[in-house]
Amino acid sequence: VMTDLIESIAMQERALSHIVNAESEKMQAIINMDTVSTQQLLQLNQSVEHMINAAARLETVLQAKLELSNQECNINEEEVDS
C-alpha cells in the first residue's frame, strides 16, 4: 500500500510537469507571434496565473499525501520494533 501511495504521488508529479511544460510551450508560441496584442498578453498572463495557482494547490495535496505516507511508515516501523 505504501509503495502504491508513493508511486501515485510520483505519477501525479510527472503529469504536473507535463502540464507546466505544455503551458510554457503555449506561452512561447503566443509571445513569439508577430501580431500579439497587449490584450492577448494579458489573457496569457491570467491563464498562466490560474494554472500556477492550481499547480500550487495540487502540490499542497501531494505534500500532504507524502507526509501521510511518512507517518504511516513510522507507525509500521514502531509496530515492527515492538
Side-chain angles (χ1 to χ4, degrees):
V1 175
M2 193 62 60
T3 304
D4 292 340
L5 181 60
I6 293 171
E7 186 176 315
S8 78
I9 293 169
M11 288 173 31
Q12 289 172 325
E13 287 286 352
R14 184 170 188 220
L16 185 57
S17 75
H18 287 288
I19 292 168
V20 170
N21 187 53
E23 191 73 13
S24 170
E25 290 175 5
K26 179 178 86 172
M27 289 172 55
Q28 287 298 321
I30 292 173
I31 290 169
N32 290 331
M33 289 174 29
D34 289 335
T35 59
V36 65
S37 69
T38 304
Q39 184 63 30
Q40 288 171 311
L41 291 174
L42 289 172
Q43 288 173 341
L44 173 63
N45 186 58
Q46 194 171 43
S47 172
V48 170
E49 185 177 347
H50 287 294
M51 193 277 302
I52 294 297
N53 287 336
R57 288 190 301 274
L58 179 57
E59 285 294 333
T60 301
V61 170
L62 294 176
Q63 180 67 32
K65 284 174 70 172
L66 187 58
E67 289 172 4
L68 179 64
S69 70
N70 285 337
Q71 289 173 359
E72 184 68 26
C73 186
N74 290 337
I75 290 170
N76 289 339
E77 286 178 3
E78 289 173 4
E79 290 173 356
V80 169
D81 291 341
S82 299

